Amino acid sequence: MSRVKSSRIKDHFQELTDPRRREPVYPLINIVTIAICAVICGADDFVSIAEWGRLRRDWLGKFLDLSAGIPSHDRFNAVLAALKPAEFERCLLSWISALHEISDGQVVAIDGKTLRRSFDAASSKSAIHMVSAWATANCISLGQVVVDDKSNEITAIPKLLEMLELSGCLVTIDAMGCQTEIAAAIVAQQADYVLAVKGNQPTLHEGIMAYFGDHLEDDFARVKASVHHTKESGHGRKEVREYYVCPVPENLPDRARWSRLKAIGMAVTVATGGGRETCEARYYILSKRLSARRFGQAVRGHWSIENCLHWQLDVTFQEDQSRIRKGHADVNFSSLRRTALSLLKNNKTLKVGVKNKRLAAGWSEDYLAQVLFGS
């Protein structure tokens, strides 16, 4: 889909396939626009979307043709259940990108999440698991794909990468995504990777562990290393973090299998609290020689997908409690939530949390317009 520069919602949904076979009563753009606005304002199901539309009909009529009225909750459900998720996702991302430019060199975190109550025992439908991409600096959801029932994140991540424009970005993925095919797909998009390495790549993991263990003994006197330390304290807990980046050793086991592998990294966290001390070391492969400071920012930034996306979706949008499950409605409603969250986080005119921003959008049409149009 070509990138549309206009910020008008309608311009970004022209290529969205209308799934209705008969002559539609309600324009598709009406259903999409009302759903987006209602979810921003606090709607968490189709009944509340339809009710919000009826209450805000006069305001919506300023930019939508509402001559046919507001669709019922069943109509919203039926249409969103039939929309193709990949198309819908691309349209939403096109619109978000037109409103909020994704900065060059952005850290893009990729991780998975399960919608726990999306299962349906009656139809033997299991809970859906999705892999999402999150621009950590801009707080923008860049896309998501559903993991097939009989598969896992390893097969879903390449599909997600195909949807994204990653040129110049730094992609971070946990150990599940540390696969040679995924590394090659990232490089093919002119992007770089920071991939966590664990026991699922045993030869590589053991080689990196042995390398850092050897050179920590003499404080990296024999090799070039970039080192960065941070200290944080709060709530009775102290954390010291140490980051190390070294050029990839010539004799590193498994080195040849990884596309454009340039460096290896180690992140050590020493935490003290409650009379206990814990120490954790994590290992990474990098396609770009980063400074230890930049490496540390990427590693810490990766977890914003948990704190700023997944946690917010569960706590503020009640995603884990949603029982929407008909057709593609669960996936498409999840895309609506992520779009709403991105828009609310990127609005800086109100200095409150996302929960209160949703309330404010529901109370004030002026504030809702600011959220929608990036003004």
Side-chain angles (χ1 to χ4, degrees):
M1 179 175 293
S2 59
R3 183 65 58 85
V4 181
K5 294 183 178 180
S6 168
S7 62
R8 294 197 312 165
I9 298 177
K10 183 177 181 179
D11 294 340
H12 297 270
F13 289 87
Q14 292 178 351
E15 297 182 31
L16 182 62
T17 303
D18 193 329
R20 295 168 291 183
R21 296 180 180 179
R22 298 179 180 178
E23 186 68 25
V25 175
Y26 308 101
L28 183 59
I29 190 60
N30 287 16
I31 293 174
V32 169
T33 303
I34 294 171
I36 291 171
C37 293
V39 172
I40 290 172
C41 294
D44 291 325
D45 55 37
F46 295 114
V47 173
S48 53
I49 287 176
E51 185 61 26
W52 182 89
R54 285 190 286 271
L55 292 173
R56 287 289 184 263
R57 179 168 179 168
D58 290 344
W59 181 77
L60 290 166
K62 295 177 181 178
F63 49 90
L64 294 176
D65 176 9
L66 298 179
S67 56
I70 302 296
S72 68
H73 70 277
D74 286 333
R75 186 61 56 199
F76 279 107
N77 193 346
V79 173
L80 282 168
L83 286 176
K84 296 178 180 178
E87 279 191 11
F88 190 47
E89 184 76 31
R90 286 196 296 269
C91 292
L92 288 169
L93 177 57
S94 175
W95 177 48
I96 288 282
S97 300
L99 292 173
H100 304 286
E101 183 178 356
I102 299 172
S103 59
D104 188 35
Q106 175 81 264
V107 174
V108 175
I110 294 178
D111 197 19
K113 180 182 186 297
T114 301
L115 275 64
R116 302 194 181 279
R117 300 199 69 179
S118 61
F119 69 90
D120 186 5
S123 62
S124 300
K125 179 181 179 180
S126 59
I128 63 172
H129 185 78
M130 293 183 298
V131 177
S132 302
W134 179 252
T136 61
N138 297 77
C139 292
I140 293 175
S141 177
L142 299 179
Q144 62 181 15
V145 296
V146 178
V147 177
D148 294 336
D149 286 345
K150 297 182 180 180
S151 186
N152 56 35
E153 293 182 15
I154 296 174
T155 59
I157 291 174
K159 296 178 184 177
L160 178 60
L161 293 172
E162 290 176 3
M163 294 171 50
L164 307 178
E165 171 52 57
L166 294 172
S167 179
C169 293
L170 184 63
V171 180
T172 62
I173 312 177
D174 64 16
M176 174 65 79
C178 186
Q179 305 290 330
T180 54
E181 298 84 358
I182 291 173
I186 294 170
V187 170
Q189 288 219 39
Q190 303 301 312
D192 286 292
Y193 59 77
V194 174
L195 304 180
V197 182
K198 288 186 178 180
N200 61 327
Q201 296 289 345
T203 303
L204 182 65
H205 185 233
E206 291 169 9
I208 296 175
M209 284 182 61
Y211 181 87
F212 280 110
D214 177 31
H215 290 287
L216 277 170
E217 293 181 357
D218 60 7
D219 200 22
F220 295 91
R222 290 166 287 148
V223 296
K224 292 181 179 180
S226 177
V227 182
H228 179 61
H229 301 267
T230 66
K231 294 182 180 180
E232 296 179 6
S233 60
H235 306 287
R237 178 183 172 92
K238 296 181 179 179
E239 290 186 345
V240 176
R241 292 185 174 87
E242 301 174 347
Y243 301 100
Y244 303 88
V245 177
C246 294
V248 60
E250 292 289 341
N251 61 347
L252 180 70
D254 237 10
R255 171 181 175 170
R257 296 176 57 234
W258 298 91
S259 180
R260 207 168 69 193
L261 178 58
K262 295 290 181 63
I264 57 175
M266 179 175 69
V268 180
T269 302
V270 179
T272 306
R276 296 177 56 194
E277 181 178 281
T278 60
C279 181
E280 180 187 18
R282 288 165 287 139
Y283 303 94
Y284 299 83
I285 55 174
L286 298 77
S287 64
K288 184 178 182 179
R289 178 77 184 275
L290 302 175
S291 68
R293 178 187 293 272
R294 176 61 173 153
F295 167 63
Q297 290 172 344
V299 170
R300 292 295 304 276
H302 176 81
W303 299 111
S304 73
I305 194 171
E306 292 286 349
N307 301 327
C308 297
L309 178 62
H310 295 164
W311 184 86
Q312 287 279 9
L313 289 171
D314 286 340
V315 174
T316 306
F317 289 79
Q318 299 296 302
E319 182 167 79
D320 257 0
Q321 301 305 313
S322 175
R323 299 305 299 266
I324 295 170
R325 57 172 74 99
K326 179 181 177 182
H328 299 306
D330 45 10
V331 181
N332 289 328
F333 209 105
S334 179
S335 294
L336 288 174
R337 295 188 197 100
R338 284 160 168 73
T339 299
L341 178 60
S342 299
L343 291 169
L344 290 164
K345 278 188 167 292
N346 275 276
N347 181 270
K348 309 300 182 184
T349 59
L350 201 59
K351 306 300 181 182
V352 295
V354 174
K355 177 183 176 180
N356 287 318
K357 285 183 178 182
R358 289 188 88 188
L359 291 172
W363 294 331
S364 169
E365 293 169 353
D366 289 340
Y367 180 66
L368 175 57
Q370 292 175 16
V371 173
L372 280 172
F373 306 119
S375 56

